Structures are given as structure tokens and as C-alpha cells.
């Protein structure tokens, strides 16, 4: 193996997991430029064109797809090696991934989920991408659907509701345009709902879910938000009923073997208890 190719393969696998170059670079803690150079270097080292480059970003070529298939078994071993190396210098880590809204919700229970005397560090990984729990990139994931992968274990946490919200200081919320996540940026079910029903009345597109909340607070437009987010904002008001077609279950997902690890089980149980005590908040009741 050529010197340095480890980091290039790591970048290649990260792109396949996180979907976009920007997100993969962020997860690896490197700049987009450095990340891009790693991918170019890998193509040069292997003398193969691994990607198609277009306006919407990178997509795997046939050669890239073949390389990914060959590297998948290696990905698990690399993740376990990195985890082992990390644990040799600091406390064990339990990585928990969730989307923007769920991360904000869990932040309210941080002292419940993470305690000062814990023999491990709890690491929050907020992302809209579905991280590879099967490859142990994270230990626990909160998802909006039950996983289909056979090597994952899941527990249903409860239902969440969605409703439209606007700033309280607007005079005519009904005539306001809508805020929507741009389709090029990990579109959510709520954004797809807005596109399907209000495509002619979009006030602004944003590139991250959190921006919809910020824009709504500034009176730019209406936003479809989880009830546990919108109802918690004193400066927002509901502009309609709960959108029943968006109601969804949230699932706590773990690796089939990793769920038996003591620290992972402790965090998973705390998350489940936190949700159980807040079912009404989740549904906006």
C-alpha cells in the first residue's frame, strides 16, 4: 500500500457514508480543499476515474462503485482500529447521532443523558446524514424510520408531530410565503411536503434545517417544524393544525453487537427514559 493512501481511502469511505464532500470533510475534521485533494490523489494513485463531477457534486463512477464494494469489509476494521486507538489515550466514547431538531431536543436533557461521574464521554454528532452504525461510525442513532439493515437493533421511542409556525409579530401569517430546505441539501419529509403543496409560495430556500427556525423568528416566512421545536419558541405561533401525514415514529438504533456494551446500553436507556417522559411535548399536545 502506498504511503498516505490510508487517509485517501478514509476520505473515499467518508464520502460514501456522508453523501456530500462538505459533510464528509466536516466529519473528518479537514477542509474541503484538503478533502478534495485526497480524492484526487486516490484517483491518481490507482490510475482510475472514481467519480463523475457535476454541478450537483460527486457521484461514483463504475470504477468507484467497484472500489467501494471491495472496501466495505475494510471499513468496519478501520473504524474499530480508530476506536481502539482513541480509547488508549482517553476515556471511552459513546457517539450519538441525530438530526438538527432532535439534537436540540436532546440538548435540553444533557444533564440527564451525560453525568459528571460517567466513565465515558458522550459525543453528540448532529447531522442530517444517516451515519453508518453498521460500520460503528457512531454507536447510537436517532432515526425517523425503522432500520432495514439486518445487523442493527432498534427500539421505538415515540411519535413526533409537525405543524406550521410563523413569528407572533407578523400581522397576516396566512399570506406569508413558506420557508423550505433546498432540494440539494438533504431534503427532509417536511420540506418535501412544502414543495408538494406550496411550491408557488416559497419565500426563501435555506441550506440547513436550523436556518428555517432562524428565518421564521425573523418573520421571513412560515416554516413546518417539529412541534417540540416550534411550541418551545415564545416568539412563534402555530398558523395551522398538526400536519398528520408528517407524524412519524422515532427510533433508537444501535449496532446488533454494540448494544450489549455497558456504556452504550447506559446511554440508550437514558435516551429512552428521556423520550418516555416527554411524549406530550413531542406531539405538541
Amino acid at each position: 500500500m502506498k504511503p498516505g493512501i490510508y487517509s485517501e481511502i478514509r476520505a473515499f469511505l467518508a464520502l460514501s457514508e456522508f453523501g456530500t464532500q462538505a459533510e464528509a470533510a466536516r466529519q473528518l475534521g479537514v477542509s474541503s480543499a484538503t478533502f478534495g485533494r485526497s480524492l484526487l490523489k486516490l484517483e491518481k494513485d490507482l490510475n482510475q476515474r472514481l467519480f463523475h463531477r457535476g454541478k450537483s457534486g460527486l457521484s461514483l463512477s463504475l470504477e468507484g462503485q467497484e472500489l467501494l464494494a471491495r472496501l466495505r469489509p475494510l471499513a468496519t476494521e478501520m473504524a474499530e482500529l480508530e476506536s481502539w486507538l482513541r480509547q488508549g489515550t482517553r476515556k471511552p466514547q459513546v457517539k450519538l447521532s441525530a438530526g438538527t431538531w432532535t439534537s436540540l431536543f436532546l440538548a435540553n436533557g444533557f444533564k440527564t443523558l451525560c453525568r459528571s461521574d460517567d466513565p465515558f464521554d458522550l459525543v453528540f454528532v448532529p447531522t442530517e446524514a444517516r451515519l453508518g452504525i453498521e460500520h460503528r461510525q457512531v454507536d447510537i442513532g436517532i432515526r425517523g424510520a425503522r432500520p432495514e439493515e439486518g445487523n442493527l437493533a432498534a427500539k421505538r421511542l415515540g411519535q413526533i408531530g409537525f405543524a406550521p409556525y410563523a413569528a407572533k409579530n407578523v400581522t397576516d401569517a396566512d399570506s406569508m410565503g413558506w420557508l423550505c430546505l433546498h432540494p440539494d441539501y438533504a431534503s427532509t419529509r417536511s420540506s418535501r411536503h412544502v414543495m408538494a403543496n406550496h411550491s408557488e409560495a416559497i419565500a426563501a430556500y435555506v441550506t440547513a434545517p436550523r436556518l428555517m427556525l432562524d428565518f421564521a423568528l425573523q418573520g421571513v416566512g412560515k416554516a413546518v417544524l417539529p412541534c417540540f421545536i416550534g411550541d418551545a419558541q415564545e416568539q412563534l405561533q402555530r398558523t395551522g393544525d398538526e400536519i398528520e401525514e408528517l407524524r412519524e415514529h422515532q427510533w433508537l438504533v444501535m449496532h446488533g453487537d454494540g448494544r450489549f456494551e455497558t456504556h452504550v446500553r447506559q446511554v440508550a436507556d437514558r435516551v429512552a427514559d428521556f423520550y418516555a417522559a416527554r411524549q406530550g411535548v413531542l406531539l405538541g399536545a
Side-chain angles (χ1 to χ4, degrees):
M1 183 178 288
K2 295 183 179 181
I5 202 170
Y6 173 83
S7 61
E8 297 162 17
I9 290 176
R10 190 164 175 255
F12 178 81
L13 290 171
L15 181 64
S16 71
E17 292 292 344
F18 300 116
T20 67
Q21 184 170 335
E23 180 64 16
R26 189 180 75 82
Q27 293 291 338
L28 293 182
V30 300
S31 68
S32 292
T34 298
F35 186 86
R37 285 194 293 270
S38 293
L39 298 181
L40 287 171
K41 184 69 164 48
L42 181 62
E43 288 183 308
K44 182 178 179 181
D45 288 345
L46 299 180
N47 194 28
Q48 295 188 53
R49 183 180 180 184
L50 302 176
F51 308 97
H52 296 301
R53 293 171 169 83
K55 293 182 179 180
S56 59
L58 300 179
S59 60
L60 291 178
S61 66
L62 290 176
E63 292 85 355
Q65 294 174 30
E66 181 179 354
L67 177 62
L68 179 60
R70 292 179 178 275
L71 288 177
R72 283 195 188 281
L74 178 62
T76 300
E77 301 298 328
M78 290 173 64
E80 291 179 353
L81 174 61
E82 291 179 355
S83 177
W84 179 77
L85 291 172
R86 286 195 302 268
Q87 291 180 21
T89 58
R90 58 190 178 192
K91 290 195 295 184
Q93 294 182 340
V94 177
K95 290 187 176 182
L96 189 159
S97 73
T100 299
W101 304 132
T102 301
S103 295
L104 288 174
F105 175 64
L106 292 175
N108 293 324
F110 181 79
K111 292 182 179 179
T112 301
L113 304 176
C114 183
R115 302 168 186 172
S116 59
D117 59 347
D118 282 337
F120 58 88
D121 291 324
L122 178 57
V123 181
F124 284 85
V125 186
T127 177
E128 307 310 312
R130 177 171 292 189
L131 300 188
I133 298 174
E134 64 273 23
H135 298 315
R136 305 302 295 273
Q137 288 181 309
V138 293
D139 301 291
I140 300 171
I142 309 298
R143 295 183 178 179
R146 185 168 192 161
E148 297 180 355
E149 300 93 328
N151 60 339
L152 300 183
K155 178 177 182 178
R156 189 161 63 183
L157 293 172
Q159 286 184 301
I160 61 174
F162 293 78
Y165 293 86
K168 284 184 177 179
N169 59 4
V170 300
T171 56
D172 188 6
D174 290 339
S175 64
M176 294 183 71
W178 292 83
L179 303 171
C180 187
L181 195 63
H182 193 279
D184 288 347
Y185 293 85
S187 183
T188 60
R189 291 177 62 240
S190 56
S191 287
R192 290 196 293 271
H193 171 85
V194 172
M195 286 293 297
N197 294 277
H198 308 287
S199 60
E200 301 301 319
I202 304 296
Y205 287 102
V206 297
T207 60
R210 176 58 198 244
L211 288 174
M212 287 197 292
L213 174 59
D214 295 332
F215 278 38
L217 288 169
Q218 294 300 318
V220 176
K222 295 179 287 190
V224 175
L225 301 172
C227 295
F228 63 79
I229 294 294
D231 290 347
Q233 307 299 316
E234 294 183 357
Q235 296 172 278
L236 292 183
Q237 60 180 328
R238 286 199 195 189
T239 62
D241 297 330
E242 179 197 347
I243 305 170
E244 292 189 9
E245 67 185 79
L246 292 180
R247 182 181 288 201
E248 66 181 24
H249 287 283
Q250 284 203 318
W251 295 82
L252 185 150
V253 183
M254 296 175 287
H255 190 277
D257 297 326
R259 60 179 167 157
F260 298 113
E261 297 174 5
T262 301
H263 304 329
V264 174
R265 172 54 60 185
Q266 283 181 302
V267 174
D269 289 343
R270 292 174 188 176
V271 170
D273 290 343
F274 184 74
Y275 267 79
R278 292 162 177 78
Q279 290 301 301
V281 174
L282 291 167
L283 281 172

